[in-house]
Amino acid sequence: MKYDTIILGAGAAGMMCAAHSGGRTLVLDHAKAPGEKIRISGGGRCNFTNMYAAPENFLSKNPHFCKSALKRYTQWDFIELVARHRIPYHEKTLGQLFCDSSAKDIIAMLRAEMDSAGAELRVNTTIQRVSHDGATFTIETETEGQREALSARNLVLATGGKSIPKMGATGLAYDIARQFDLALTDTCPGLVPFTFSDNPFKPLSGTALPVRATAGGTAFDEALLFTHRGLSGPAMLQISSYWREGEDIALNLLPDMDVFQSLRQKRSTDGRRNLSTILGQILPSKLADHLTKEWALTGNIADQSDTALKDLAERICNWRLRPNGTEGYRTAEVTLGGIDTDELSSKTMMSKTVPGLYAIGEAVDVTGWLGGFNFQWAWSSGWAAGQAIKARET
């Protein structure tokens, strides 16, 4: 079976590419249905983009690489597509756009766009072997026990990274990239909760509060959630992409308060109250109890000097913790690193050394923040590759 283009991966980037690549296009996926990670994203509502998406919201060895695709296919282009398909949506917070009803609306939209473009989809299909004779790619597949050799002039790697293996995530794109001598950057889980040895926060499980979290010199003002395994919530997921093993994270537990002045005021008005009670007035009670024990706080606030209160304020505003790791790919929303951007054209997403070989989406060393940014990279990179393939075939 001969095609103009074969796309490996029926996820966000792969389907977007198929909708724009023209010619005879086939999308292959080993899952039972397309867009499985779209389906479960955003609690089933799909945070499909972010109104404030910009290159600054992405991590990569080459921070400039993402600029071309993001500029040529913007969040507003995708929002227009969503509106054209009459999918109701809303902004949740910080520019994050979600479907009103279901993430399945986005999958149906992409399938409709693929159908309109004449692209074919084949699921329950595994890739056995990929080869290239200098002009044509041959992909040996197996679908429900039936083996078949397919060929195409263009091959697109859109199988994502290693995150959420229970959804079928594998390192297939990396394996094929290595086969064609494309360099990879180191990969690790991103947007993932932290874990701690003998988790000291287990009694706090379920406690949440807004914080300013910092790791690797980058800070986010978002919510922190204590869990039975460690620390989660948007703030932790965000800084996990900047954290490296063996490093501390810093938490400002009251980022919108002048804590020292507040403590001084309470010394004047509530002098007879002990420090544990005072902490309980400005922090969740379980957390206040935990910190009272951890910091061995004793006595009434009236007995505390300005120096002591400054020290306590500093602890609250710069609580330093050292995770022993993260929950790993099992719960990570994305994979940091991937196919080295030095190997690809930022305009076309095609390999600089293997004509007709493209890599898009999460498979590439471009990782967005939490909040719809990774979907936007999928749309933008998929569109860029699709446009390039269409131009190459005409």
Side-chain angles (χ1 to χ4, degrees), residues 130 132 137 157 172-185 338-344 351-355 357:
V130 174
H132 188 235
F137 292 94
L157 306 181
L172 178 63
Y174 309 146
D175 295 338
I176 297 173
R178 287 190 195 95
Q179 179 184 333
F180 290 101
D181 295 322
L182 271 60
L184 302 173
T185 64
I339 297 172
D340 196 323
T341 57
D342 288 348
E343 300 283 1
L344 308 172
S351 164
K352 295 176 180 178
T353 55
V354 185
L357 180 63

Side-chain angles (χ1 to χ4, degrees), residues 54-368:
E56 297 74 38
N57 306 120
F58 295 85
L59 294 81
S60 174
K61 190 179 81 171
N62 177 3
H64 301 291
F65 180 84
C66 64
K67 290 181 178 179
S68 176
L70 290 172
K71 183 177 181 180
R72 289 183 298 129
Y73 191 88
T74 71
Q75 59 269 42
W76 306 111
D77 292 315
F78 193 78
I79 291 167
E80 182 183 19
L81 177 63
V82 169
R84 196 160 72 240
H85 282 260
R86 302 181 184 277
I87 298 173
Y89 66 90
H90 61 279
E91 179 190 1
K92 190 172 182 180
T93 182
L94 301 172
Q96 300 167 12
L97 300 185
F98 287 77
C99 296
D100 283 357
S101 53
S102 171
K104 293 178 182 178
D105 292 342
I106 299 295
I107 299 172
M109 177 190 78
L110 293 169
R111 288 289 290 114
E113 290 290 307
M114 285 174 58
D115 289 344
S116 178
E120 300 175 37
L121 171 67
R122 190 180 299 178
V123 294
N124 288 317
T125 299
T126 56
I127 308 304
Q128 302 296 319
R129 186 170 177 269
V130 174
S131 59
H132 188 235
D133 63 9
T136 302
F137 292 94
T138 299
I139 298 93
E140 296 177 21
T141 67
E142 183 174 327
T143 306
E144 297 177 350
Q146 297 296 313
R147 291 195 170 227
E148 186 176 12
L150 310 170
S151 65
R153 208 162 83 90
N154 305 295
L155 177 64
V156 184
L157 306 181
T159 56
K162 302 176 183 177
S163 56
I164 318 184
K166 71 179 181 181
M167 298 299 296
T170 69
L172 178 63
Y174 309 146
D175 295 338
I176 297 173
R178 287 190 195 95
Q179 179 184 333
F180 290 101
D181 295 322
L182 271 60
L184 302 173
T185 64
D186 292 339
T187 57
C188 66
L191 301 181
V192 60
F194 290 111
T195 58
F196 293 79
S197 299
D198 303 320
N199 181 20
F201 309 122
K202 195 169 184 179
L204 304 181
S205 182
T207 298
L209 73 160
V211 301
R212 178 171 299 133
T214 304
T218 301
F220 291 90
D221 284 32
E222 293 251 27
L224 160 69
L225 173 67
F226 292 92
T227 74
H228 61 285
R229 293 191 185 94
L231 300 179
S232 188
M236 296 299 96
L237 300 189
Q238 294 281 36
I239 65 169
S240 70
S241 294
Y242 294 86
W243 176 80
R244 293 298 173 264
E245 193 169 347
E247 296 178 349
D248 287 351
I249 61 172
L251 302 179
N252 183 341
L253 300 174
L254 294 166
D256 299 320
M257 179 186 293
D258 184 332
V259 179
F260 173 57
Q261 290 302 330
S262 179
L263 291 174
R264 289 189 75 207
Q265 178 66 28
K266 289 184 179 297
R267 184 175 60 188
S268 299
T269 58
D270 296 316
R272 292 184 179 181
R273 296 187 181 276
N274 62 39
L275 288 176
S276 177
T277 301
I278 294 298
L279 281 188
Q281 292 175 352
I282 57 177
L283 292 169
S285 58
K286 287 184 179 180
L287 176 57
D289 291 342
H290 176 87
L291 295 177
T292 298
K293 295 172 185 174
E294 180 177 320
W295 296 340
L297 300 178
T298 58
N300 296 334
I301 193 166
D303 302 326
Q304 311 302 313
S305 65
D306 276 1
T307 300
L309 292 184
K310 279 184 179 178
D311 178 64
L312 179 55
E314 168 63 19
R315 290 183 178 189
I316 293 171
C317 297
N318 189 27
W319 187 24
R320 303 190 74 83
L321 301 168
R322 181 167 296 182
N324 75 332
T326 70
E327 291 189 8
Y329 289 115
R330 183 180 63 82
T331 59
E333 296 200 12
V334 292
T335 301
L336 287 161
I339 297 172
D340 196 323
T341 57
D342 288 348
E343 300 283 1
L344 308 172
S345 161
S346 62
K347 182 178 180 181
T348 66
M349 308 303 293
M350 187 172 79
S351 164
K352 295 176 180 178
T353 55
V354 185
L357 180 63
Y358 298 77
I360 57 177
E362 191 183 346
V364 180
D365 174 29
V366 175
T367 305

